[in-house]
Amino acid sequence: MTRHFLRDDDLTGAEQLEILDLAEKLKTDRFQTTPLAGPQTVAVIFDKSSTRTRVSFAVGIADLGGIPLIISTANSQLGGKETAADTARVLERQVAAIVWRTYAQSGLQEMALGTTVPVINALSDDFHPCQLLADLLTIREHRGELKGLTITFLGDGRSNMAQSYVLACATAGIHIRIASPAEYAPDPAVVQDADAIAAKTGGSVTLFTDPLEAVAGVDVVVTDTWVSMGKEEEKAERLRSFGQYQVNADLMALAKADALFLHCLPADRGFEVTAEVIDGPQSVIWDEAENRLHAQKALLVWLLR
């Protein structure tokens, strides 16, 4: 049966750990395995602009012996004359896997149902699971075992990053806290799914509206842009709503003394995070950005097996 990676809980805890272990090995020797030798091609489709996703998948596919076929939906039939399912049936006869950075999660689900090759969610409006693999890899590099850690995400709790943190951390046995205004809390269905996972892994999901309470004594502090792609018209309202959730030196001082700071980038410096924090000694954002490469390579190797 073909396995896909559309949301973080498509992996069990054991599978997530297996991929992270493999990512660590690939980071030490980038060219140790070439499952795409031939070379085989991987379609990498973009509905949204991208820097880190485009570069890390293109480089990673090449590292694995393959050819990245970068497709912009602005220059293809996908989403216009052709359905996602029909596009997938065309691509599967020519490519080894499909990576798609898109808007609606439903499009990814339709594509996965219509193909026999792995489909990977490179970001949707609801989830950003590849980023979470990179984030967990980064945290593990700096803190060792993930299980039992406490992490706080601040900002838009209904963003793709926050919802992926809820699912991925529950899968890893982490205690995840989401600090956001009540009207921006994660989708209750996502929290319910994460709660069910956490009950088996020993993790937990807790929602906060008070950012100071949410950060007290935690191991890792995470934020993301307050204005995601497609939400630009809401910028003024979002800046008002999220002002108290800014990650600054005073807020970081409430976490553990050695707490890490993560941000998936790009960052709006002076808004969700101050320059003092993002450039400070607790920030591991450059390791995090690099680890997109290693985590995604490990994911591709695992799915292709």
Side-chain angles (χ1 to χ4, degrees):
M1 182 182 71
T2 304
R3 292 290 297 272
H4 306 289
F5 190 52
L6 308 185
R7 44 186 274 171
D8 307 80
D9 55 349
D10 284 341
L11 301 175
T12 66
E15 290 169 343
Q16 182 192 73
L17 186 59
E18 185 179 351
I19 291 169
L20 294 176
D21 286 342
L22 179 56
E24 284 191 348
K25 293 176 182 176
L26 291 175
K27 188 170 183 176
T28 62
D29 180 1
R30 282 176 52 176
F31 309 106
Q32 65 181 265
T33 183
T34 54
L36 292 171
Q40 298 181 70
T41 300
V42 175
V44 189
I45 308 170
F46 290 94
D47 291 355
K48 298 183 177 185
S49 60
S50 168
T51 299
R52 277 150 294 277
T53 298
R54 184 184 298 266
V55 172
S56 57
F57 267 112
V59 173
I61 291 162
D63 283 359
L64 296 175
I67 297 175
L69 174 62
I70 308 297
I71 302 171
S72 167
T73 48
N75 300 314
S76 73
Q77 303 292 355
L78 177 59
K81 294 182 178 179
E82 192 165 60
T83 66
D86 285 353
T87 297
R89 293 182 69 182
V90 171
L91 291 176
E92 72 180 8
R93 297 187 176 212
Q94 302 176 64
V95 305
I98 301 169
V99 179
W100 192 11
R101 182 182 180 96
T102 187
Y103 290 92
Q105 184 75 13
S106 58
L108 284 155
Q109 293 166 344
E110 179 187 346
M111 181 170 280
L113 286 172
T115 186
T116 57
V117 299
V119 175
I120 295 173
N121 178 0
L123 178 144
S124 70
D125 287 344
D126 292 337
F127 304 104
H128 198 355
C130 288
Q131 181 66 57
L132 260 291
L133 288 177
D135 286 14
L136 294 179
L137 177 61
T138 306
I139 294 165
R140 195 167 81 155
E141 285 178 339
H142 289 269
R143 288 292 174 270
E145 186 178 0
L146 295 171
K147 187 177 178 65
L149 293 177
T150 302
I151 297 176
T152 295
F153 178 96
L154 298 107
D156 183 355
R158 195 161 287 219
S159 67
N160 47 25
M161 278 297 295
Q163 296 197 147
S164 272
Y165 257 94
V166 167
L167 291 176
C169 287
T171 301
I174 292 170
H175 304 292
I176 179 66
R177 303 176 178 182
I178 304 294
S180 69
E183 62 270 28
Y184 290 97
D187 184 337
V190 173
V191 175
Q192 185 177 17
D193 290 342
D195 282 338
I197 296 168
K200 300 174 183 177
T201 64
S204 65
V205 181
T206 311
L207 306 184
F208 291 81
T209 55
D210 182 348
L212 306 183
E213 182 184 2
V215 170
V218 302
D219 299 287
V220 182
V221 177
V222 187
T223 192
D224 189 18
T225 180
W226 293 338
V227 186
S228 299
M229 285 179 282
K231 306 290 184 182
E232 289 81 5
E233 74 282 358
E234 302 174 15
K235 182 172 183 177
E237 176 190 340
R238 284 171 169 265
L239 294 183
R240 287 192 297 269
S241 297
F242 297 128
Q244 65 174 317
Y245 297 90
Q246 182 189 72
V247 180
N248 51 44
D250 289 341
L251 186 138
M252 285 298 295
L254 299 175
K256 288 184 178 177
D258 62 348
L260 303 175
F261 171 74
L262 277 77
H263 190 307
C264 69
L265 302 176
D268 290 328
R269 291 165 177 261
F271 290 92
E272 73 269 11
V273 61
T274 62
E276 181 181 12
V277 171
I278 202 168
D279 295 325
Q282 292 171 275
S283 174
V284 292
I285 61 168
W286 308 120
D287 292 341
E288 180 185 6
E290 177 191 343
N291 282 337
R292 286 290 299 276
L293 171 65
H294 311 300
Q296 288 164 183
K297 284 173 63 179
L299 175 66
L300 274 166
V301 171
W302 189 86
L303 288 172
L304 291 169
R305 284 177 179 167

